[in-house]
Amino acid sequence: MAVPEKDHHRPGSEVADPDHEVGELVGRLATSGELEPAERRRLLGRLAQALSTGAKKARANGAGRGRWLADVFLNIAPRIPIRDLHTLSEHHHGLTGEELADDLVRTAQKATMTVGAIGGALAAAEFAAPPLLLSAPAQLVAETIVVAAIEVKLLAELHEVYGVRVDGNGTQRAVAFTAAWAKQRGIDPLAPTSVSLALGAATKTALRNRLMRTLGRHLTTFGPFLTGAIAGGALNRIATKKLGQVIRDDLRVKQPVPRDQRKPEVDPGRHDELEG
């Protein structure tokens, strides 16, 4: 099958397959590794094109934007790369505990700030463009999806740092972390329904509302000159920092007690002997 030639004249001009490439693009944009600004802009442009195509299909099927956004995110959630504790420590110069958590939040803040700045700058550049050239809405939807993915990744990896293990297969855990992000709280490992009910109606509503709030925040960056870039970066950085603090406070409470600090268990039979 012939591969269509890429347009090398403008970043993001490649046509992304809306059914298969969205997850891959979001996964690459959500990774902790450094991406060159031009490459990040190119990937964000491709993602915007893919999401624009998907949005047109959703409108044709009568789906609202909020419901469509939630469906898209649930579909890509299992593709978000989540690292285990050992890998996290390796990638963050051997840090552990609170220092590792600090570094994870800082890294996520930098990532969402960069995405917000790029999205805001593109929106600002297109603010005065002719209506037919205006593609900012799709760009801001792409920004919303990527920022949400970065924050879900942060939330999941903070669970690793604090030793709060979430059971289930990859998809189940991804959905559980997404549900936790929608509600802005950590997962209770002792709640047997925390994973099994993650796809319930209430969770889907919470996810839809959270994504629409995030999109609304990004719509405020739609302004002239460089105001969009500045606002986009700052708003994302503040929101990610707040999320990190809330989740860390929550996980410290849920953190399992180390074995050497647990109270010794007394065998009932032995207890009776001591009583006698």
Side-chain angles (χ1 to χ4, degrees):
M1 181 177 65
V3 178
E5 293 184 0
K6 295 180 180 180
D7 182 351
H8 296 285
H9 296 289
R10 57 191 181 91
S13 60
E14 302 89 340
V15 177
D17 185 333
D19 296 323
H20 299 93
E21 200 168 2
V22 169
E24 178 186 348
L25 290 169
V26 172
R28 291 177 64 185
L29 284 161
T31 54
S32 60
E34 294 291 336
L35 284 174
E36 293 295 329
E39 175 68 3
R40 192 180 295 274
R41 189 177 296 109
R42 184 181 70 84
L43 294 175
L44 200 59
R46 288 177 59 186
L47 178 61
Q49 287 188 332
L51 291 171
S52 178
T53 301
K56 291 176 182 176
K57 290 183 177 180
R59 283 195 295 271
N61 294 330
R65 170 168 282 186
R67 190 177 64 175
W68 170 75
L69 263 179
D71 288 343
V72 168
F73 198 81
L74 285 171
N75 186 50
I76 66 172
R79 302 288 297 274
I80 299 173
I82 308 299
R83 296 166 292 181
D84 60 24
L85 182 58
H86 177 72
T87 304
L88 283 169
S89 185
E90 279 190 340
H91 288 180
H92 290 265
H93 311 289
L95 294 177
T96 58
E98 296 292 341
E99 290 183 342
L100 177 55
D102 287 340
D103 212 36
L104 284 177
V105 175
R106 280 193 296 267
T107 301
Q109 282 183 260
K110 182 179 178 182
T112 59
M113 181 175 67
T114 301
V115 172
I118 291 174
L122 289 172
E126 294 167 349
F127 184 79
L132 293 178
L133 300 179
L134 216 59
S135 61
Q139 191 73 39
L140 296 182
V141 170
E143 180 187 344
T144 297
I145 292 289
V146 174
V147 167
I150 292 170
E151 291 188 346
V152 169
K153 177 181 175 67
L154 169 64
L155 180 147
E157 292 180 345
L158 285 175
H159 280 71
E160 288 287 326
V161 173
Y162 287 97
V164 179
R165 180 66 187 173
V166 178
D167 294 325
N169 59 35
T171 298
Q172 289 172 328
R173 296 179 74 237
V175 171
F177 289 132
T178 298
W181 174 78
K183 299 173 183 177
Q184 304 281 281
R185 66 180 63 164
I187 297 173
D188 185 354
L190 300 180
T193 58
S194 60
V195 173
S196 61
L197 293 184
L199 273 176
T203 296
K204 287 184 177 179
T205 299
L207 175 60
R208 182 174 67 245
N209 292 341
R210 179 63 55 187
L211 286 167
M212 291 304 290
R213 286 193 203 103
T214 305
L215 177 62
R217 183 174 80 226
H218 294 154
L219 285 172
T220 64
T221 68
F222 193 70
F225 308 112
L226 293 179
T227 56
I230 295 171
L235 291 174
N236 282 351
R237 177 179 57 80
I238 292 170
T240 302
K241 181 179 181 180
K242 180 181 178 182
L243 172 70
Q245 188 60 57
V246 168
I247 298 303
R248 291 175 70 178
D249 289 344
D250 204 8
L251 292 178
R252 288 188 187 105
V253 177
K254 296 179 170 69
Q255 194 171 17
V257 179
R259 287 183 176 275
D260 57 356
Q261 296 180 19
R262 296 176 186 173
K263 294 181 180 181
E265 296 182 3
V266 178
D267 179 74
R270 178 61 178 165
H271 182 74
D272 292 339
E273 292 178 9
L274 292 175
E275 287 289 328

